[in-house]
Amino acid sequence: MKVLAVREHGMFQPETGSVTLDGAHISPERFFDRPEQIVPAQPWLEALRNRQLDLVFLGVFLAALLAV
């Protein structure tokens, strides 16, 4: 990592000086998130999840119809 440090010395006619500071830095692995591989669900399971509310209503209606 390199940092440019600029300094102005003096009040009425400032003299500008600059220095490049070098430093080595290694961040620990625990600070980084690795993207996880997304595994797609099977099509029939995804269809059941999308129509879950409809299937519940149908089951309740069929149970009520069977009771009558």
Side-chain angles (χ1 to χ4, degrees):
M1 178 169 52
K2 293 184 179 184
V3 177
L4 179 64
V6 180
R7 176 179 182 236
E8 292 183 355
H9 181 69
M11 231 182 203
F12 298 110
Q13 290 182 335
E15 297 177 9
T16 305
S18 65
V19 154
T20 302
L21 304 172
D22 295 328
H25 176 73
I26 298 174
S27 297
E29 288 292 323
R30 63 187 172 117
F31 293 125
F32 297 99
D33 289 334
R34 300 277 186 227
E36 294 180 12
Q37 186 74 13
I38 298 174
V39 179
Q42 294 145 351
W44 63 271
L45 189 58
E46 192 66 32
L48 285 177
R49 285 185 189 146
N50 289 336
R51 303 297 282 188
Q52 186 175 8
L53 188 60
D54 294 337
L55 291 173
V56 168
F57 285 141
L58 181 63
V60 169
F61 175 72
L62 288 176
L65 186 63
L66 185 64
V68 171

